[in-house]
Structures are given as structure tokens and as C-alpha cells.
Amino acid sequence: MSFGLTFDKLIIIAVIAVFLVGPDRLPAYAAQLARLVKSLRSVADGAKDRMREEMGPEFDEVDWKKLDPRQYDPRRIIREALLDDPAPATTGAETVVAAAVADVKPVSADLPANRYVESAYEKRQRKLGKGRPAPYDVEST
């Protein structure tokens, strides 16, 4: 949301503002801008200190880079939430063979975390049969 403002445009706006303000009032406005920047910095530092007080010693142990929203990968988050140890990547043929061979049961607390669990897509494919399309109603589509 930079509204199309580039660094060059900001410099031009600053030069125009200097001409409009004039040399008489420029030092007062510069001092006011400096006070504003200092107050914003003190507000940010105060919030950081308050977080440190409320969280206690865990504040320094938090990995803030991991909480960065730009690092958000839903597949990784779900994988880490469901599995303690991430399973190695498998091909589709290996998962179909594993589903056919394995006795698939619902996930419960007594099963080990690395146990294979059949996905909904694999269950539907096994139910339909290999290579058969899903049923559909011609009149409703």
C-alpha cells in the first residue's frame, strides 16, 4: 500500500514542502518532526519492554523469524502439527500401494506418530476403483 509513491516522488514532495514552509519556520518544523520520531521510538520501546515484562524470560527465547507471516506455509504447519517426525516424500504410486497393504485405522493417541493414515482422496479412489471416474448426474450439471 505505497499508493505509487517511490523514493523519487517522496524527495520531490519534501522539496516542495521545504519551499512552502519557508526558511523561517523550517527549524521549528524540523524540531517538531524530531520530537515525533523520538516519541514513536519511545512508544515502540515501551511496548517491547512491556512484552518482555509480561512474557518473562520466554520473550528472549521466542524465535521471531518463525512467526513472520511471510514464512507462512500451510502445508508445513499442518505437517508439523500432525506429525512429530515429518514423513519422507513419497510418490502417488507408493501411497496407493501402502494404502492397499496397510490396515488403515483412524488416528488415535495410542498409535505411533509415523503410522501411515489414508487420506480422504485415497479412500475415495479405493472405493471407486482404480481409473473409474466419480459418479455424476447429467441432469444436475
Side-chain angles (χ1 to χ4, degrees):
M1 283 180 45
S2 64
F3 303 109
L5 291 177
T6 61
F7 186 71
D8 299 336
K9 291 178 185 177
L10 290 175
I11 289 176
I12 293 171
I13 291 172
V15 169
I16 292 172
V18 167
F19 281 118
L20 290 176
V21 169
D24 298 335
R25 293 183 284 174
L26 186 61
Y29 282 119
Q32 190 176 3
L33 179 64
R35 283 193 303 272
L36 175 68
V37 170
K38 285 180 184 178
S39 67
L40 290 175
R41 187 176 294 157
S42 68
V43 166
D45 289 340
K48 192 175 185 181
D49 292 338
R50 185 170 177 187
M51 283 273 297
R52 184 172 276 121
E53 288 174 9
E54 290 183 7
M55 287 184 67
E58 294 101 24
F59 181 80
D60 295 324
E61 297 171 4
V62 174
D63 184 16
W64 296 107
K65 289 183 181 179
K66 188 175 181 182
L67 298 175
D68 186 5
R70 292 174 290 186
Q71 303 295 325
Y72 178 71
D73 180 18
R75 294 170 294 189
R76 179 185 53 81
I77 292 170
I78 291 172
R79 187 180 322 120
E80 288 175 358
L82 294 177
L83 301 174
D84 291 337
D85 298 325
T90 59
T91 63
E94 291 173 341
T95 55
V96 171
V97 170
V101 174
D103 180 24
V104 178
K105 297 179 182 175
V107 177
S108 64
D110 58 340
L111 291 177
N114 59 357
R115 170 111 180 182
Y116 176 77
V117 178
E118 186 178 29
S119 71
Y121 175 77
E122 292 168 340
K123 287 179 185 177
R124 188 172 55 245
Q125 290 298 320
R126 184 172 42 86
K127 193 176 201 181
L128 289 173
K130 187 173 183 175
R132 290 188 52 208
Y136 66 95
D137 185 7
V138 178
E139 295 175 359
S140 66
T141 55

